[in-house]
Amino acid sequence: MQRNWYVVANASRARLLERTPGEDDWADVVDLVHADSRRPGASLARDRPGHIAGGGPAYGGCTFQPRTDPRRHEHARFARQIADAVDAAVSDGRCGRLVLVASAPFLGVLDAQLDPRSRKAVHARIAHDWTTLPDVALVAKLGEADVGG
């Protein structure tokens, strides 16, 4: 019987758990931490934004903004790491159904990184950050969220 997978994540931590439907045993598959998502954006950028100073009226002063926010870039990198683990499990047949639980902004980033086959396996998407819950409370909430599975 295929196991259900539960992804509990925010932009800096993710827990992947699994459970066989009808059983009470929960197993941690992997616990991921992405420290760069917690760092200030200024420390993530490799270089400060471009700036042309002085030089007369022909140059005028201007500042160029980076194309992407460094923190959003790190969030997308972490979401890709999580999605790779989930995509591999779905394609190998180790995961039958998915429940995604992530903080509201990160849920969309994570969902966008999943391949189409994994997106079809998603049973529920819950926009909450449950990463700090103790195991007993987390399992209870995940059990409530997985009605019918």
Side-chain angles (χ1 to χ4, degrees):
M1 176 173 275
Q2 287 188 329
R3 298 174 71 82
N4 294 345
W5 275 40
Y6 305 82
V7 178
V8 180
N10 62 22
S12 61
R13 180 170 186 221
R15 287 182 68 185
L16 281 67
L17 299 106
E18 68 178 9
R19 179 177 74 92
T20 301
E23 294 182 12
D24 291 334
D25 292 340
W26 292 80
D28 275 311
V29 177
V30 68
D31 193 346
L32 302 168
V33 176
H34 190 72
D36 285 344
S37 289
R38 292 185 179 264
R39 290 178 42 202
S43 69
L44 294 171
R46 300 196 195 311
D47 198 5
R48 62 178 218 160
H51 181 74
I52 300 172
Y59 292 103
C62 66
T63 302
F64 300 102
Q65 295 300 319
R67 287 182 169 226
T68 36
D69 175 30
R71 291 188 61 146
R72 287 187 185 188
H73 176 73
E74 289 303 321
H75 295 175
R77 280 187 45 202
F78 187 50
R80 178 77 254 154
Q81 183 182 1
I82 297 166
D84 286 344
V86 170
D87 292 344
V90 170
S91 66
D92 292 346
R94 292 181 288 137
C95 169
R97 284 178 19 160
L98 283 169
V99 175
L100 300 178
V101 181
S103 56
F106 191 67
L107 181 59
V109 176
L110 177 58
D111 197 36
Q113 296 291 334
L114 294 173
D115 70 18
R117 189 171 177 187
S118 296
R119 262 194 222 113
K120 285 182 182 176
V122 175
H123 171 67
R125 290 172 179 84
I126 302 168
H128 286 289
D129 186 357
W130 291 348
T131 58
T132 58
L133 290 177
D135 287 348
V136 174
L138 177 61
V139 165
K141 285 194 174 277
L142 289 175
E144 292 170 11
D146 195 27
V147 175

